[in-house]
Amino acid sequence: MTVKLYSICFNRPDLMQMQVESFKFFLKDKHEIVFVNNAPTDNVATEIKKVADSLECRSIRVQTKLGNNWLPGKNHADAMNLVLRTEFTKDQGTDLVGFMDNDFFMVLPFSIEEHMKNGVTMSGVKQRRENFYYLTPNLLFMNKSLLPNIQDIDLEGVHINGVALDTGGGLYNYFEKYPQVKAGVKGIAHTWVMTSDRHNTHNIPDELIAEYKDDYVLELYQNSFLHYCRSSNWDQQSYDFHKEKTGFVRKFVYGSMSGLVHPKKLDFQIVDSIFGWDGL
């Protein structure tokens, strides 16, 4: 089976090659990465397509209703919803599909097929706002064969009874309509952003910890996936900052591939009751 992964690419075409190479090195499954090109300008879109072509990856130009408006979360959700309505219906021979941002990289081996065994319907980071539960879709795996009426899935942020749910919040309504899907959800463990005040920078490999800065706000998912975070630059960091941060991420990723860096294999213990999933 080929796992099809849709990488949402708003900007940063310079990160695309590292994503493709790290997934080719560490992902155990036969897979295809498709770049979903939702760039805010034609010039950036052209560069993304050029890089995708050079990597022999398919790219899809998706233009959201917002156009060039600076609302990256909304643009991100719109791009995923458009893929759900179009591409997912075409891939009749592909059951396992996923979404990820184009600033996710692999640093340890992982199998999506193995992770999704035994009736898992969706897998992502579990979120809860008051009594409303959903998944964050920046890394989201789905088994299409177990998802009724895919057109009902909405990955937008929504308001329900005055409570704001961020990107992916629309999944709450899908889970309510199809409780069997919620019952088959599997959480993805992650460190959250790694900063000294969160007391989680010990997750950085020993070879790199002396160089790590709190401002980098990197995340690790399931030990195997490194998330650059904020690559769209919604927090308006400088060019020099991203150049330095990108250099650190390259050391992490390519060092993991070469064996010079040794990512830690954490034993995540997740109790669903912490997030309220067990009683809802």
Side-chain angles (χ1 to χ4, degrees):
M1 179 188 300
T2 298
V3 179
K4 185 160 287 190
L5 298 168
Y6 293 91
S7 178
I8 310 302
C9 199
F10 182 77
N11 61 358
R12 295 300 303 268
D14 59 300
L15 299 179
M16 294 165 62
Q17 181 175 349
M18 183 160 52
Q19 182 174 71
V20 169
E21 289 178 348
S22 68
F23 272 70
K24 187 176 293 186
F25 191 89
F26 285 115
L27 190 60
K28 296 179 180 180
D29 314 304
K30 182 180 179 182
H31 67 280
E32 176 188 1
I33 293 177
V34 178
F35 288 103
V36 181
N37 184 348
N38 69 326
T41 67
D42 290 339
N43 286 341
V44 176
T46 298
E47 186 62 25
I48 289 171
K49 185 180 186 307
K50 180 180 176 181
V51 175
D53 289 346
S54 73
L55 295 170
E56 299 183 341
C57 292
R58 189 161 68 94
S59 63
I60 308 165
R61 178 64 171 133
V62 169
Q63 293 184 282
T64 65
K65 296 177 183 178
L66 290 176
N68 295 345
N69 289 347
W70 185 248
L71 288 172
K74 171 68 172 170
N75 271 310
H76 184 225
D78 282 351
M80 290 187 291
N81 278 341
L82 284 168
V83 170
L84 280 168
R85 307 289 179 269
T86 56
E87 290 290 311
F88 275 32
T89 59
K90 295 178 185 176
D91 294 330
Q92 299 300 325
T94 303
D95 285 338
L96 291 182
V97 294
F99 285 116
M100 60 184 178
D101 297 347
N102 76 310
D103 61 353
F104 269 87
F105 315 100
M106 294 196 69
V107 295
L108 282 173
F110 187 84
S111 168
I112 295 172
E113 287 192 50
E114 184 71 22
H115 181 75
M116 297 292 286
K117 283 173 60 175
N118 301 320
V120 175
T121 54
M122 288 190 194
S123 185
V125 173
K126 293 181 175 181
Q127 293 286 358
R128 181 188 179 189
R129 300 291 186 272
E130 295 190 12
N131 288 327
F132 305 108
Y133 43 84
Y134 56 103
L135 300 174
T136 297
N138 55 5
L139 185 66
L140 179 66
F141 305 133
M142 303 180 184
N143 187 334
K144 291 195 309 178
S145 68
L146 300 178
L147 302 178
N149 299 317
I150 286 177
Q151 68 273 12
D152 289 343
I153 297 175
D154 180 12
L155 296 174
E156 293 278 10
V158 296
H159 282 77
I160 301 177
N161 296 338
V163 178
L165 313 182
D166 58 0
T167 307
L171 283 172
Y172 170 79
N173 294 319
Y174 187 72
F175 293 151
E176 286 290 285
K177 188 171 183 179
Y178 304 104
Q180 73 274 23
V181 174
K182 176 181 175 273
V185 166
K186 183 176 183 177
I188 288 180
H190 85 313
T191 59
W192 199 241
V193 295
M194 292 182 284
T195 59
S196 55
D197 62 338
R198 293 179 184 271
H199 306 290
N200 59 358
T201 55
H202 62 277
N203 298 308
I204 299 292
D206 293 339
E207 297 87 352
L208 299 176
I209 187 62
E211 300 177 46
Y212 187 71
K213 297 181 179 180
D214 280 357
D215 289 347
Y216 291 168
V217 292
L218 302 182
E219 297 178 315
L220 283 165
Y221 289 61
Q222 290 289 144
N223 292 322
S224 296
F225 300 91
L226 177 67
H227 188 202
Y228 184 105
C229 289
R230 307 180 187 180
S231 62
S232 66
N233 205 31
W234 58 263
D235 55 345
Q236 300 183 359
Q237 296 283 356
S238 68
Y239 170 83
D240 287 340
F241 169 81
H242 281 289
K243 182 178 179 181
E244 179 185 274
K245 180 179 176 180
T246 301
F248 180 88
V249 169
R250 288 182 64 84
K251 280 187 180 180
F252 197 150
V253 174
Y254 287 112
S256 300
M257 293 167 65
S258 69
L260 294 176
V261 171
H262 300 88
K264 297 178 180 177
K265 298 177 182 179
L266 309 173
D267 183 15
F268 288 100
Q269 301 294 317
I270 299 179
V271 180
D272 278 346
S273 59
I274 294 174
F275 300 99
W277 275 67
D278 60 333
L280 295 177

